[in-house]
Amino acid sequence: MATIKAAILGFGTVGQGIYHILNEKRDELRDKLGIELEVAKILVRDTTRERVPGTAHLLTDSIDDVLSVKGIQVVFEAIVNEEPAYSYLKKAVEHKCHVVTANKVMFAKRGLELQELAKQNGVFVGYEATTAGGVPVIKTMKNILLVNDVTRIQGILNGTSNYILTKMRAEGWTFDEALQEAQNLGYAEADPYNDISGQDAFKKLMILSALAFGEQPDWADVEVIGIDGITSEQVKEATEQGLRYRHVAEVERLSDGKIIAKVGPMVVDKEHPLYPIDDVFNAVTMETNYIGTLTLVGPGAGMYPTASVMVEDYAEIIGKRAGFVVTI
């Protein structure tokens, strides 16, 4: 039986989730894929800190060390910022490695470029985990786009913002109270700027735009408004009218071909597909020419939802190479 060697870049919450799932699903993956998977290297900044027992011998702080492993074929990337993540993945692709990423900041900006480079090198890029966590938006949209045209996408793409708005409505909390609880529960970072400002949702929206339309609007033309300006009084007033505040990211291709996008708070009624989406859940609504309107809902973040879709990407890549479809 063939052995495929893999590396994990970044060993925080998501990286550790990948490691655990690959080990827990090892037998099942072997049975379904007909290959043995071995995590050969884990790239971290601090090699003296063993985050998961039994992994000390796998740790390295050098991408060259990772790519020097004989038989390395797959790289899982769970680093936070654009760099050094893009440089690492570029090297990996040029080394003929398939790559699977969860890095929305990097992929929103460099995703099309990375996919083109992968095509030139005969390898695949998996990026389901960059957008909406455990919601299978990317693979669903890829399938839909084989026949349908997607004209418009609306989504709740940030679970933290959605949780805050839910608690402001359901519990009568202030914005600050809801944010504090989100931080206590680990939904929001100590610095919650990217979540509450709309920047996180914006990056995910640009990834969906690139997939749906093959291009993105000029980033400077996209209005991005966060939720920190919404008051308890506004939420209460909307609730009394049977309406709900949602933080919505939206992109649309107009009839003249122009792509427009915006991110910001929206008041929706019971007829809107995003009306029932509460707590940390994400949702994406797509308008298509043949299917009509399709809405996908699921958990937006966390160790296992994100890590599991990365392993699914890996299984899909291996299946493509072997000419069969794999479901995990």
Side-chain angles (χ1 to χ4, degrees):
M1 182 176 290
T3 297
I4 288 183
K5 293 188 178 180
I8 300 172
L9 312 185
F11 209 47
T13 301
V14 174
Q16 291 175 39
I18 296 166
Y19 181 81
H20 289 312
I21 289 174
L22 288 175
N23 280 295
E24 290 165 14
K25 287 280 188 177
R26 189 169 193 144
D27 292 343
E28 193 173 334
L29 287 166
R30 183 174 58 232
D31 293 343
K32 289 188 173 182
L33 301 176
I35 55 94
E36 187 75 46
L37 180 78
E38 176 190 340
V39 176
K41 287 290 178 183
I42 298 171
L43 184 75
V44 293
R45 281 184 298 203
D46 180 5
T47 59
T48 65
R49 190 161 68 91
E50 187 184 40
R51 295 150 182 83
V52 175
T55 60
H57 67 291
L58 300 175
L59 303 181
T60 181
D61 58 5
S62 166
I63 187 64
D64 293 325
D65 188 28
V66 169
L67 298 178
S68 69
V69 172
K70 188 175 181 181
I72 192 86
Q73 290 188 42
V74 180
V75 171
F76 294 95
E77 183 264 313
I79 301 172
V80 176
N81 295 314
E82 180 183 345
E83 289 294 352
Y86 177 75
S87 296
Y88 288 168
L89 292 189
K90 184 172 183 287
K91 273 191 171 185
V93 165
E94 290 170 344
H95 198 74
K96 312 298 183 188
C97 286
H98 305 296
V99 298
V100 179
T101 180
N103 191 328
K104 57 188 169 284
V105 174
M106 177 278 297
F107 206 80
K109 191 172 180 182
R110 311 297 291 268
L112 289 170
E113 188 180 344
L114 188 66
Q115 289 176 90
E116 180 57 36
L117 185 65
K119 189 176 178 181
Q120 293 169 12
N121 283 274
V123 294
F124 292 99
V125 178
Y127 61 98
E128 183 72 65
T130 61
T131 306
V135 187
V137 176
I138 303 298
K139 59 170 63 79
T140 302
M141 194 181 294
K142 282 180 179 178
N143 287 333
I144 285 171
L145 289 167
L146 293 172
V147 176
N148 286 258
D149 293 323
V150 173
T151 54
R152 186 169 175 239
I153 300 166
Q154 279 190 324
I156 294 172
L157 299 179
N158 183 269
T160 303
S161 289
N162 202 44
Y163 176 84
I164 290 170
L165 292 176
T166 298
K167 292 304 179 183
M168 289 176 72
R169 183 194 81 245
E171 309 292 343
W173 292 352
T174 65
F175 171 83
D176 289 335
E177 288 170 339
L179 172 58
Q180 183 62 59
E181 183 62 12
Q183 289 173 317
N184 293 343
L185 294 170
Y187 298 149
E189 301 291 338
D191 179 0
Y193 172 77
N194 284 330
D195 293 323
I196 64 174
S197 68
Q199 285 300 315
D200 176 78
F202 167 70
K203 300 297 193 306
K204 294 170 182 174
L205 185 68
M206 292 302 97
I207 291 169
L208 294 179
S209 176
L211 175 58
F213 308 126
E215 59 182 309
Q216 300 172 348
D218 187 323
W219 286 21
D221 293 338
V222 181
E223 183 179 42
V224 180
I225 301 172
I227 62 166
D228 47 343
I230 300 176
T231 66
S232 304
E233 289 73 24
Q234 288 174 306
V235 172
K236 183 180 178 183
E237 185 179 331
T239 303
E240 288 171 349
Q241 297 174 35
L243 306 173
R244 292 180 179 177
Y245 270 95
R246 295 295 184 218
H247 192 245
V248 179
E250 180 177 356
V251 63
E252 180 178 7
R253 189 201 290 272
L254 302 179
S255 56
D256 62 3
K258 183 180 179 180
I259 298 171
I260 59 169
K262 61 183 178 180
V263 179
M266 179 185 293
V267 178
V268 300
D269 61 22
K270 290 181 180 177
E271 304 305 313
H272 196 284
L274 299 181
Y275 180 89
I277 313 304
D278 270 345
D279 293 314
V280 292
F281 278 75
N282 280 197
V284 177
T285 293
M286 293 171 270
E287 293 181 11
T288 72
N289 53 335
Y290 291 134
I291 297 174
T293 300
L294 175 69
T295 302
L296 301 173
V297 181
M303 174 186 285
Y304 288 113
T306 304
S308 67
V309 296
M310 294 182 77
V311 177
E312 286 166 11
D313 270 348
Y314 153 77
E316 184 183 357
I317 286 169
I318 300 306
K320 280 180 181 176
R321 299 291 282 189
F324 59 87
V325 176
V326 181
T327 56
I328 299 297

